[in-house]
Amino acid sequence: MKVYLYEKRRGGFTAIEVIAVIFVIAVVGVTTASRIASKTYYDIAAEAEILKANIRYAQFRALSDADKRVGYADTTWSVLFSGSSYTLQKKEENVTTTHNFPGEDSPTHNLPGGISVTAGTVTYNVWGIPVDAAGLPLAGNVTIGISDGTSSQTVTVTRNTGFIP
């Protein structure tokens, strides 16, 4: 009588099959856990890009005023940073008004919970040059930090040009 190997198999899994399944489950679990854990990094990266766009918008608005009031150096546009939010402001003839950021219903952009920005201000004159409170060009670059306490990113505004890399 001839007995074939496949007839002897009773059912169940071999040790190699069990190890392979456990390995696949472990890889999927580690990948999923790392993506969930690094979500705040992506939140910070996204908020840093929104922050850059909003600062560029303030410079654009300052340059737009130059078309209306050539040589009128008293008008400035600023982004004022404060803890978990920042606000767009225009100062003209010593009167400060707030204006909405593009695509937002408010002049203040609130950061997601747990994310904060370093306090400070970035101000542009009508020529789009970053200036200090006295209206003089900045002596150095402005660095703005955005953080969740664990990870952080910085946004740099280049003196003289306002370029944001």
Side-chain angles (χ1 to χ4, degrees), residues 22-62:
I22 290 172
F23 178 75
V24 169
I25 290 172
V27 168
V28 170
V30 167
T31 303
T32 303
S34 68
R35 291 193 183 219
I36 290 171
S38 66
K39 182 183 178 307
T40 56
Y41 172 79
Y42 293 113
D43 287 346
I44 290 174
E47 284 300 325
E49 291 304 316
I50 292 169
L51 175 62
K52 288 178 185 180
N54 286 337
I55 294 171
R56 288 177 184 129
Y57 179 72
Q59 185 181 30
F60 169 77
R61 292 296 301 263

